[in-house]
């Protein structure tokens, strides 16, 4: 989907355009096929993994902040003694083979932007395969004791013990309709069946939203780093008021531009589709301004980056009440596994 077409659909879904309702018959077909597919796969094709599996995903098309949430989860679970592995489809990756486990020699072209970003931030095992079940078994065989599946809510072949849905609080669920009338992959009622909902918003008030049961989260800038060398730099490296070329190939670029504005910078936006494969030609700007981007985009630009290009690293700051709730859910899984009667190995 090119920039113009993608922008038109997003504007329709989130801007209340009425022409999309001519597509209601197609939405009915989409919902019916999705329901039958989900029922059939869960009933007959779902594969149970011998370690706990946490799926982190969303209902809507586009970015909601899943990658920072995955990173925060991995770091927390590592601090609790778990050997964590991450499963990813690796959208846009061109690995030499699948399943593919990321190493220090992996490039963004081989691994994909989001998986490589997760690996660099956490050092945990990350395995890429469109067949998430195969990726899960690869990670278990490597010694992982707990798995996170990135963007796997609709991949029902992979058994899961905990589901976490991430929502963009600003966009919500658009017009509340499924594709193609709205941005949803599944009906809004699907949220009632997940274990946790995390709402990505600008401000964090530390309270649980009683209406939705969502835990609030915000993205907090941590530091800059040079795209070319990964050298870390403080947030005040760019003085307030600096005009910058702000490059974003993510699901919700406006959130990145808003973050730059809160850092008192003056971004000149350059928007590309999510997972865009950047080339040096994309940076042939006329005005000689500093170039900044997200850490997700940086992994793809490192091979041809100029020494002064900067990327912003952010942390997902999640409501502090979420973590004890997650611990309790994992403890319940552990207790259930311990008390379950043993049976023949199939």
């Amino acid at each position: 989907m090119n920039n113009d077409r993608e922008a038109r659909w997003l504007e329709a879904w989130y801007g209340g355009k009425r022409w999309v309702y001519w597509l209601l018959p197609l939405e009915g077909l989409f919902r019916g096929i999705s329901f039958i597919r989900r029922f059939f796969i869960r009933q007959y094709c779902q594969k149970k993994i011998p370690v706990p599996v946490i799926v982190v995903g969303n209902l809507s098309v586009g970015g909601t902040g899943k990658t920072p949430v995955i990173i925060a989860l991995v770091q927390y679970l590592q601090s609790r003694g778990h050997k964590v592995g991450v499963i990813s489809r690796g959208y846009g990756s061109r690995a030499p083979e699948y399943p593919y486990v990321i190493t220090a020699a992996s490039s963004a072209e081989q691994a994909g932007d989001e998986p490589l970003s997760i690996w660099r931030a956490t050092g945990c095992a990350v395995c890429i395969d469109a067949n998430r079940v195969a990726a899960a078994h690869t990670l278990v065989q490597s010694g992982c004791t707990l798995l996170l599946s990135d963007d796997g809510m609709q991949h029902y072949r992979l058994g899961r013990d905990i589901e976490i849905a991430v929502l963009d609080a600003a966009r919500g669920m658009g017009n509340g309709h499924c594709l193609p009338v709205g941005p949803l992959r599944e009906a809004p009622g699907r949220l009632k069946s997940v274990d946790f909902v995390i709402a990505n918003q600008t401000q964090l008030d530390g309270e649980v939203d009683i209406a939705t049961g969502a835990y609030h989260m915000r993205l907090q800038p941590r530091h800059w780093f040079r795209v070319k060398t990964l050298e870390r730099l403080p947030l005040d490296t760019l003085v307030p008021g600096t005009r910058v070329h702000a490059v974003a190939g993510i699901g919700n670029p406006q959130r990145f531009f808003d973050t730059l504005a809160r850092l008192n910078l003056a971004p000149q936006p350059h928007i590309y589709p999510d997972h865009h494969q950047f080339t040096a030609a994309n940076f042939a700007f006329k005005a000689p301004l500093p170039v900044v981007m997200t850490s997700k985009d940086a992994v793809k630009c490192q091979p041809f980056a100029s020494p002064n290009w900067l990327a912003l690293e952010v942390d997902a700051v999640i409501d502090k009440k979420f973590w004890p709730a997650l611990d309790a859910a994992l403890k319940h899984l552990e207790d259930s596994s311990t008390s379950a009667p043993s049976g023949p190995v199939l």
Side-chain angles (χ1 to χ4, degrees):
M1 186 182 294
N2 62 37
N3 279 1
D4 293 339
R5 289 176 58 194
E6 181 178 7
R8 187 184 181 202
W9 282 106
L10 291 174
E11 181 185 5
W13 293 334
Y14 294 106
K17 302 298 182 181
R18 303 192 64 82
W19 62 264
V20 294
Y21 294 106
W22 288 99
L23 304 174
L24 279 170
L26 294 178
E27 181 193 14
L29 180 64
F30 177 85
R31 284 196 184 213
I33 293 174
S34 297
F35 177 82
I36 294 171
R37 173 183 174 275
R38 178 186 175 194
F39 174 82
F40 181 83
I41 294 177
R42 292 182 66 185
Q43 194 74 17
Y44 302 107
C45 304
Q46 194 168 78
K47 304 298 182 183
K48 178 66 177 175
I49 307 302
V51 301
V53 175
I54 301 175
V55 167
V56 181
N58 63 352
L59 294 188
S60 59
V61 173
T64 58
K66 292 188 305 297
T67 300
V69 170
I70 288 277
I71 291 171
L73 285 167
V74 171
Q75 292 171 339
Y76 177 79
L77 293 168
Q78 287 174 330
S79 74
R80 308 290 283 182
H82 295 282
K83 184 175 181 182
V84 185
V86 173
I87 303 163
S88 176
R89 179 178 180 271
Y91 182 88
S93 65
R94 298 179 181 177
E97 60 183 3
Y98 294 96
Y100 179 72
V101 178
I102 294 179
T103 68
S106 299
S107 66
E109 183 179 13
Q110 293 173 322
D113 48 15
E114 290 174 354
L116 188 56
S117 296
I118 293 168
W119 182 84
R120 285 185 175 178
T122 66
C124 76
V126 180
C127 186
I128 298 165
D129 199 334
N131 182 347
R132 288 178 171 87
V133 174
H137 285 303
T138 297
L139 291 172
V140 171
Q141 291 167 7
S142 72
C144 292
T145 60
L146 188 150
L147 304 182
L148 295 176
S149 179
D150 181 20
D151 196 21
M153 276 185 62
Q154 288 79 37
H155 191 89
Y156 288 111
R157 280 193 67 240
L158 178 67
R160 69 281 311 268
D161 301 286
I162 295 174
E163 288 186 322
I164 301 174
V166 183
L167 302 180
D168 186 323
R171 285 179 165 181
M173 289 185 281
N175 57 17
H177 286 269
C178 290
L179 295 166
V181 178
L184 302 184
R185 300 167 177 169
E186 296 182 274
R190 174 72 168 90
L191 287 182
K192 297 178 181 178
S193 66
V194 306
D195 299 278
F196 300 100
V197 178
I198 295 177
N200 182 2
Q201 59 183 39
T202 301
Q203 298 297 325
L204 179 67
D205 59 16
E207 297 296 328
V208 177
D209 187 333
I210 302 300
T212 64
Y215 294 90
H216 297 157
M217 178 266 281
R218 64 182 169 87
L219 299 179
Q220 177 175 290
R222 188 200 308 176
H223 57 76
W224 295 102
F225 65 88
R226 295 193 189 279
V227 176
K228 190 69 175 179
T229 64
L230 306 183
E231 175 193 358
R232 293 186 178 185
L233 300 170
L235 289 176
D236 60 4
T237 296
L238 296 175
V239 300
T242 300
R243 295 175 60 225
V244 296
H245 289 297
V247 178
I250 57 177
N252 185 358
Q254 188 58 48
R255 189 174 289 278
F256 175 58
F257 305 143
D258 291 344
T259 299
L260 296 177
R262 289 196 298 275
L263 291 173
N264 296 314
L265 301 177
Q268 180 175 327
H270 301 276
I271 301 173
Y272 295 88
D274 196 11
H275 304 288
H276 180 69
Q277 295 300 317
F278 289 97
T279 66
N282 296 131
F283 296 85
F285 305 129
K286 293 182 179 179
L289 305 177
V291 173
V292 301
M293 64 189 69
T294 69
S295 59
K296 171 181 164 181
D297 292 326
V299 300
K300 294 175 289 188
C301 300
Q302 186 179 20
F304 55 82
S306 295
N308 59 347
W309 292 4
L310 301 181
L312 185 64
E313 191 76 66
V314 298
D315 287 329
V317 181
I318 304 174
D319 187 334
K320 62 183 180 181
K321 296 181 181 180
F322 167 77
W323 302 109
L326 178 62
D327 285 337
L330 290 171
K331 182 66 164 57
H332 178 71
L333 286 178
E334 182 182 338
D335 292 343
S336 300
S337 176
T338 302
S339 61
S342 60
V345 177
L346 300 179

